[in-house]
Amino acid sequence: MGRILRRDFYDRETEIVARELLGAVLECRTHDGLTSGVIIETEAYIGEHDAACHAAVGRTLRTEPLYGPPGNAYVYFIYGMHWCINAVTRAEGLPSAVLIRALEPLDGLPLMRRRRPKARSDRELTNGPGKLCAALGIDKRMNGLPLQRHPVVIRAGSPVKDSDVEITPRIGITQASDWPLRFLVRGNSFVSR
DNA sequence: TCGAAGATTGTCT
DNA sequence: GACAATCTTCGAG
């Protein structure tokens, strides 16, 4: 089992963190049990000048975690039914984060299948930001919590080679949608879309 | 107090 | 591929 990534891991350029989070393990422990998966797709959202970043509207109740210390979780509710989890990056005052878009399931598959009855294959368990939160049991309770202790932690995994990293524009957004800030593991079948 | 939009998903054609 | 579901958040009135 890999060691938990410390706060200074997140206190760097957001693109670097998004890149290096590939291959790391997201783990969630609730009263139902433990679930985890390897991070294979991320997106960087960088500061108030990034129109697609939630912080573009400034500091509000919702975006408050983005202004907190790096290494915390930012969990938000979208489209009236889905949760998405981000890892807050950079130093305090620079609101940026990395959205975790897809996982390759590792531990707790039976529990994930129970939480995602709509999934018709294990691939559909965690191949999207809303799906992986449902599979791991992540919701508002985890918003603003540090990622260095349970319920939610991120551990070091097997590093992904540069030649295996693919960079594309972010998807699912309408603002600044042409910036190449999406990072994914080439050839991994668990990526979203 | 009200209205509009949204970092998605699942279903139907 | 198109579109509905569903509700929180925020800014305007």
Side-chain angles (χ1 to χ4, degrees), chain A residues 79-129:
Chain A
Y79 294 122
M81 54 185 85
H82 305 295
W83 297 96
C84 296
I85 185 168
N86 298 246
V88 176
T89 62
R90 283 185 145 180
E92 218 160 321
L94 290 168
S96 308
V98 174
L99 170 70
I100 297 174
R101 290 196 56 90
L103 302 177
E104 182 172 340
L106 206 58
D107 299 309
L109 271 134
L111 179 52
M112 292 194 209
R113 294 187 188 111
R114 242 177 295 145
R115 285 171 173 159
R116 297 251 324 121
K118 298 272 179 65
R120 290 191 288 184
S121 70
D122 286 351
R123 206 179 65 82
E124 294 180 3
L125 245 26
T126 55
N127 67 336

Side-chain angles (χ1 to χ4, degrees), chain A residues 1-12:
Chain A
M1 190 150 47
R3 66 181 294 156
I4 290 174
L5 297 175
R6 299 185 305 166
R7 282 198 187 279
D8 48 9
F9 173 88
Y10 303 92
D11 194 6
R12 297 182 291 167

Side-chain angles (χ1 to χ4, degrees), chain A residues 41-189:
Chain A
E41 180 178 347
T42 60
E43 280 179 3
Y45 287 86
I46 308 173
E48 297 179 349
H49 64 276
D50 178 356
C53 182
H54 286 175
V57 300
R59 189 168 187 160
T60 64
L61 191 58
R62 183 200 203 191
T63 61
E64 192 60 29
L66 292 172
Y67 291 81
N72 277 6
Y74 168 48
V75 181
Y76 66 89
F77 194 55
I78 191 70
Y79 294 122
M81 54 185 85
H82 305 295
W83 297 96
C84 296
I85 185 168
N86 298 246
V88 176
T89 62
R90 283 185 145 180
E92 218 160 321
L94 290 168
S96 308
V98 174
L99 170 70
I100 297 174
R101 290 196 56 90
L103 302 177
E104 182 172 340
L106 206 58
D107 299 309
L109 271 134
L111 179 52
M112 292 194 209
R113 294 187 188 111
R114 242 177 295 145
R115 285 171 173 159
R116 297 251 324 121
K118 298 272 179 65
R120 290 191 288 184
S121 70
D122 286 351
R123 206 179 65 82
E124 294 180 3
L125 245 26
T126 55
N127 67 336
K131 296 177 187 176
L132 70 91
C133 282
L136 298 206
I138 293 170
D139 60 30
K140 194 177 189 69
R141 293 171 300 173
M142 288 70 171
N143 191 31
L145 297 186
L147 293 167
Q148 287 72 43
R149 59 176 167 77
H150 284 99
V152 189
V153 301
I154 298 181
R155 299 179 184 280
S158 28
V160 177
K161 288 179 301 187
D162 279 344
S163 58
D164 288 333
V165 176
E166 195 170 338
I167 302 175
T168 77
R170 295 175 293 186
I171 58 181
I173 57 173
T174 54
Q175 306 290 314
S177 56
D178 54 343
W179 296 7
L181 294 174
R182 174 174 178 242
F183 300 78
L184 54 115
V185 178
R186 193 186 304 277
N188 189 296
S189 61

